[in-house]
Amino acid sequence: MSTSPSSSRALVLGSTSRYRRELLQRLGLPFDVLGPGVDETPLAGETPEALARRLALAKARAVARQRPAAVVIGSDQVADLNGEPLGKPGTHERAVEQLRRMRGQTVVFQTALSVVCHESGFEASELAPVRVRFRDLDDAEIERYLRAEKPYDCAGSAKSEGLGIALLERIDSDDPTALIGLPLIRTCRLLRAAGLRLP
């Protein structure tokens, strides 16, 4: 659906991620932040891409119900290791396990974005997949990285905007901030489509 252009709508980021908040600040738009409170448990047989898409839209819709006149951004990222979803590790032990499994592998970080405005009826979603080739890491490298960075709130334990870049051989993406958690090129496109004027 489309909406007539209007710059008067409030913008809301439906996320508790500090990384997404910091990225959205780059656009110079005022915005509020609301936690969406969405259960992120994968459904049986759900692919990483489908999971990321479903959660991004669920987050945007959940916050849009609370702020129906606002333009709401929802986003989610799932690390896709040969079709298996890898989420946020949460603990050091799970992060070690994830990085051991990803070493020498190509992992697709499925970053989904949804923008919703209940009042105008606008709803649109996009996917920004990022292919990441990990170096053949040894256990000592993994341990040093985790102790230094503590990326336990990052999908797949890989925090590329910090020391995690040293774990990688290659990143292939058409939207450079997608790997950090919010694809800003696509975000700008959907915000314009929703009627917001960007600087």
Side-chain angles (χ1 to χ4, degrees):
M1 290 184 154
S2 63
T3 182
S4 58
S6 167
S7 59
S8 62
R9 293 198 184 277
L11 177 62
V12 180
L13 176 62
S15 175
T16 56
S17 165
R18 62 188 170 101
Y19 309 111
R20 290 190 180 104
R21 185 174 64 245
E22 289 166 3
L23 286 170
L24 190 56
Q25 287 171 344
R26 294 186 188 182
L27 301 184
L29 296 171
F31 65 93
D32 296 324
V33 177
L34 281 176
V38 169
D39 181 358
E40 299 189 15
T41 306
L43 302 177
E46 191 171 31
T47 66
E49 177 185 335
L51 174 60
R53 285 182 181 274
R54 177 175 64 82
L55 292 179
L57 186 55
K59 290 173 182 180
R61 285 174 171 171
V63 173
R65 281 192 291 272
Q66 300 174 59
R67 298 282 300 274
V71 173
V72 179
I73 297 170
S75 186
D76 193 77
Q77 184 179 76
V78 179
D80 180 346
L81 178 61
N82 302 318
E84 180 186 345
L86 300 179
K88 300 167 187 168
T91 67
H92 183 84
E93 293 71 26
R94 288 188 62 202
V96 169
E97 178 189 348
Q98 284 186 348
L99 288 171
R100 283 177 175 167
R101 293 186 60 207
M102 293 189 297
R103 58 187 165 197
Q105 301 289 317
T106 296
V107 179
V108 180
F109 285 80
Q110 304 283 7
T111 306
L113 168 72
S114 292
V115 173
V116 172
C117 179
H118 268 323
E119 194 173 84
S120 71
F122 182 86
E123 185 172 291
S125 299
E126 292 205 23
L127 186 75
V130 182
R131 295 178 60 82
V132 176
R133 179 74 182 179
F134 281 80
R135 292 175 43 250
D136 191 9
L137 308 165
D138 62 39
D139 287 350
E141 284 180 298
I142 290 172
E143 190 66 24
R144 284 196 305 272
Y145 162 69
L146 291 176
R147 294 295 178 192
E149 199 73 86
K150 299 179 174 52
Y152 309 129
D153 60 345
C154 298
S157 310
K159 191 174 174 185
S160 65
E161 65 273 30
L163 184 59
I165 199 73
L167 307 178
L168 311 179
E169 283 185 0
R170 184 180 177 94
I171 297 172
D172 292 312
S173 173
D174 65 359
D175 205 332
T177 59
L179 188 55
I180 306 172
L182 187 65
L184 286 180
I185 292 173
R186 286 167 172 82
T187 299
C188 289
R189 182 160 59 229
L190 293 189
L191 292 181
R192 288 188 193 101
L196 295 187
R197 292 195 189 95
L198 273 67

